[in-house]
Amino acid sequence: MASVIVVDDKDNEIGQCDKEVAHKQAIRHRAFSIFIFNTKGELLIQKRNPKKYHSGGLWSNSCCSHPEPGEKTDDAAYRRLGEEIGINCTLIEVFSFPYFTKVGEDIFEHEYDHVYSGISDADPILNQHEAVDYTWINATDLLLDMTAHEAKYTMWFKMIMNDSKYLELLNINPY
């Protein structure tokens, strides 16, 4: 099973543990979320595979995962972008934030999330173990749909999209 990097409240590495254990025991660990935009300003979102052990079948940002112990977060972001959706583009870390939320029966996200942004007009090649569908969507339509159908989106994605300071940092203007 995959391991994650355990961190303190300032994102300093303090250990490692099994990924599923971290999610079941609410152990804070390092993660990243990637937002890929096309040149029309649309965001690539993916529908997570329904068989994933948490948040399965929900729509989320372009790609998200965890760096492995000993791996730099930037390197992990590029690696997973290729593995998960088959896209290769320049990524820029735009902000990071800690969060804690329940995402299922006895499953928690207690992460220090590094958020990256990139631009690509390539349609993804989905790794079906990770994602089963995708769409490109403008910010206004996405925010309207999130309001109308909140339950179909992942918690971390909603947190980012519902916070104006994060939208500003991602250069999304929904109005």
Side-chain angles (χ1 to χ4, degrees):
M1 182 47 70
S3 293
V4 294
I5 300 168
V6 177
V7 296
D8 64 15
D9 62 350
K10 303 275 193 259
D11 194 37
N12 297 305
E13 184 173 345
I14 57 173
Q16 62 185 10
C17 75
D18 175 84
K19 180 174 73 168
E20 286 191 34
V21 169
H23 286 126
K24 289 179 181 176
Q25 296 182 10
I27 298 169
R28 184 186 301 112
H29 56 283
R30 190 171 293 149
F32 57 86
S33 298
I34 302 173
F35 287 69
I36 301 297
F37 297 90
N38 62 23
T39 54
K40 294 187 267 183
E42 297 168 319
L43 175 62
L44 173 65
I45 62 173
Q46 63 152 283
K47 187 173 188 179
R48 292 167 60 87
N49 185 312
K51 295 180 181 174
K52 292 185 81 68
Y53 74 95
H54 81 76
S55 306
L58 299 180
W59 286 90
S60 197
N61 50 286
S62 310
C63 175
C64 49
S65 191
H66 309 87
E68 297 173 355
E71 184 178 34
K72 293 180 183 177
T73 307
D74 288 355
D75 294 341
Y78 282 106
R79 175 181 56 79
R80 286 301 296 169
L81 187 63
E83 290 173 356
E84 195 166 308
I85 63 172
I87 289 180
N88 181 14
C89 68
T90 300
L91 297 174
I92 298 169
E93 185 174 351
V94 288
F95 60 91
S96 59
F97 72 106
Y99 74 98
F100 177 84
T101 188
K102 187 172 185 176
V103 293
E105 187 70 28
D106 299 322
I107 304 285
F108 303 89
E109 287 280 31
H110 192 187
E111 297 185 337
Y112 204 99
D113 195 20
H114 296 258
V115 180
Y116 291 83
S117 182
I119 299 173
S120 176
D121 284 321
D123 282 330
I125 301 167
L126 300 179
N127 175 338
Q128 293 293 310
H129 295 289
E130 300 294 333
V132 295
D133 198 5
Y134 75 92
T135 192
W136 294 95
I137 188 169
N138 70 55
T140 301
D141 291 343
L142 176 59
L143 291 170
L144 287 171
D145 195 60
M146 279 185 161
T147 300
H149 307 285
E150 180 181 349
K152 75 181 210 183
Y153 294 96
T154 61
M155 290 299 292
W156 61 92
F157 187 34
K158 290 186 289 190
M159 285 179 189
I160 293 168
M161 293 302 296
N162 287 319
D163 192 316
S164 61
K165 72 180 178 230
Y166 296 150
L167 292 178
E168 184 178 317
L169 288 169
L170 283 169
N171 293 318
I172 296 176
N173 183 356
Y175 306 105

